[in-house]
């Protein structure tokens, strides 16, 4: 078994563990006000970064998410105007893809390894990467996935990236700073900002001081994620 194969096996096992443990996890439930705040804050940042790229109409764009899970992120993009019939998701776990298909049957859900995407070159206007790369501990696997993402992305279009910069509470993840993103996607133009008030802090504050996270998220060092637009040369 190659190093890459071992990494994929580890990822399958880790995602299955998270799914089993997270089935009743209120931290990621829409009934949890802190989780709703995190999603709303992220959505505002996504709208802003897309507007800065002069992207205001998602309905005309082919969109792919690598590591789509149960389809939550694509669902967010559809709420912002993306066409389900032009939205694709790939993931390693069949059960998550089945859940995504129940949730959004008009989209395309495909079981695939991000190192070998089953699409022609220059197929998509936007590729989404939301917290998949930080779960990959092998650098060579990350590099192969990044190259595949650029291969299927149309020239002049971009990757919408949202991932941890640091996550000290989970040893099965490894934060990815901006310098590493630049190494993974050489030759691209990257626009980025730190967002998402550290979730443990957010979960503590929202029930007690609901106004405070809006103030604290302005301090970049308190934010745990990086939102970036990675533009492929035209």
């Amino acid at each position: 078994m190659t190093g890459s194969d071992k990494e994929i096996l580890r990822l399958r096992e880790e995602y299955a563990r998270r799914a089993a443990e997270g089935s009743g996890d209120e931290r990621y439930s829409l009934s949890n006000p802190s989780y709703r705040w995190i999603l709303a804050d992220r959505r505002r940042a996504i709208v802003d970064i897309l507007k800065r790229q002069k992207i205001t109409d998602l309905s005309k764009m082919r969109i792919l998410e690598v590591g789509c899970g149960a389809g939550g992120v694509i669902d967010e993009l559809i709420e912002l105007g993306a066409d389900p019939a032009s939205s694709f998701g790939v993931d390693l776990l069949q059960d998550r893809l089945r859940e995504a298909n129940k949730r959004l049957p008009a989209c395309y859900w495909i079981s695939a390894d991000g190192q070998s995407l089953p699409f022609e070159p220059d197929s998509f206007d936007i590729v989404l990467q939301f917290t998949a790369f930080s779960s990959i501990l092998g650098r060579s696997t990350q590099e192969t996935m990044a190259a595949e993402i650029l291969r299927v992305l149309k020239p002049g279009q971009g990757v919408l990236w949202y991932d941890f910069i640091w996550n000290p509470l989970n040893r099965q993840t490894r934060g990815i700073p901006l310098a590493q993103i630049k190494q993974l996607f050489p030759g691209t133009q990257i626009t980025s900002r730190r967002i998402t008030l550290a979730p443990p802090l957010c979960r503590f504050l929202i029930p007690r001081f609901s106004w405070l996270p809006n103030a604290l998220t302005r301090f970049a060092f308190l934010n745990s994620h990086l939102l970036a637009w990675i533009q492929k040369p035209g």
Side-chain angles (χ1 to χ4, degrees), residues 26-27 29-40 202-203 205-208 210 213:
E26 287 298 314
R27 292 178 301 172
S29 168
L30 290 175
S31 64
N32 185 332
S34 63
Y35 185 58
R36 291 200 305 271
W37 185 91
I38 287 172
L39 290 181
C202 189
R203 287 192 287 268
L205 291 174
I206 287 290
R208 298 167 178 84
S210 59

Side-chain angles (χ1 to χ4, degrees), residues 124-191:
F124 294 96
D125 299 288
I126 298 177
V127 179
L128 308 172
Q129 189 296 116
F130 280 49
T131 68
F133 269 67
S134 61
S135 294
I136 300 168
L137 304 184
R139 183 60 179 267
S140 63
T141 303
Q142 290 180 341
E143 291 172 348
T144 304
M145 283 182 61
E148 271 293 273
I149 286 172
L150 287 182
R151 181 185 68 81
V152 302
L153 185 64
K154 294 179 183 178
Q157 303 299 334
V159 181
L160 185 60
W161 171 288
Y162 173 80
D163 216 329
F164 287 104
I165 301 171
W166 45 268
N167 185 12
L169 300 180
N170 187 348
R171 293 185 178 181
Q172 291 298 318
T173 65
R174 184 173 295 157
I176 303 178
L178 180 59
Q180 187 174 340
I181 298 175
K182 291 178 178 178
Q183 292 172 357
L184 289 169
F185 297 91
T188 61
Q189 182 176 346
I190 301 175
T191 302

Side-chain angles (χ1 to χ4, degrees), residues 15 19 35 65-76 78 89-105 107-109 130:
Y15 288 149
Y35 185 58
E65 183 179 9
V66 177
C68 63
V73 174
I74 286 182
D75 197 8
E76 287 185 58
I78 289 171
V90 300
D91 200 89
L92 291 171
L93 298 185
Q94 291 282 359
D95 57 341
R96 302 207 302 182
L97 291 169
R98 283 192 290 269
E99 185 177 344
N101 190 55
K102 289 179 182 178
R103 182 180 196 169
L104 297 167
C107 300
Y108 296 89
W109 307 105
F130 280 49

Side-chain angles (χ1 to χ4, degrees), residues 12-132:
R12 289 182 185 275
E13 293 173 347
E14 173 62 12
Y15 288 149
R17 181 192 68 78
R18 292 182 196 176
E21 293 181 356
S23 59
D25 194 338
E26 287 298 314
R27 292 178 301 172
Y28 306 106
S29 168
L30 290 175
S31 64
N32 185 332
S34 63
Y35 185 58
R36 291 200 305 271
W37 185 91
I38 287 172
L39 290 181
D41 181 67
R42 184 177 77 181
R43 178 176 295 200
R44 286 191 293 269
I46 289 171
V47 170
D48 180 67
I49 202 169
L50 290 176
K51 282 184 177 178
R52 290 176 184 272
Q53 302 305 317
K54 297 181 170 37
I55 298 172
T56 56
D57 185 2
L58 293 173
S59 66
K60 296 178 173 58
M61 297 195 159
R62 280 171 55 89
I63 297 172
L64 167 68
E65 183 179 9
V66 177
C68 63
V73 174
I74 286 182
D75 197 8
E76 287 185 58
L77 269 288
I78 289 171
E79 290 179 0
L80 292 175
D83 180 2
S86 297
S87 301
F88 297 72
V90 300
D91 200 89
L92 291 171
L93 298 185
Q94 291 282 359
D95 57 341
R96 302 207 302 182
L97 291 169
R98 283 192 290 269
E99 185 177 344
N101 190 55
K102 289 179 182 178
R103 182 180 196 169
L104 297 167
C107 300
Y108 296 89
W109 307 105
I110 300 163
S111 177
D113 176 358
Q115 297 176 98
S116 183
L117 296 171
F119 305 106
E120 294 296 319
D122 307 336
S123 295
F124 294 96
D125 299 288
I126 298 177
V127 179
L128 308 172
Q129 189 296 116
F130 280 49
T131 68

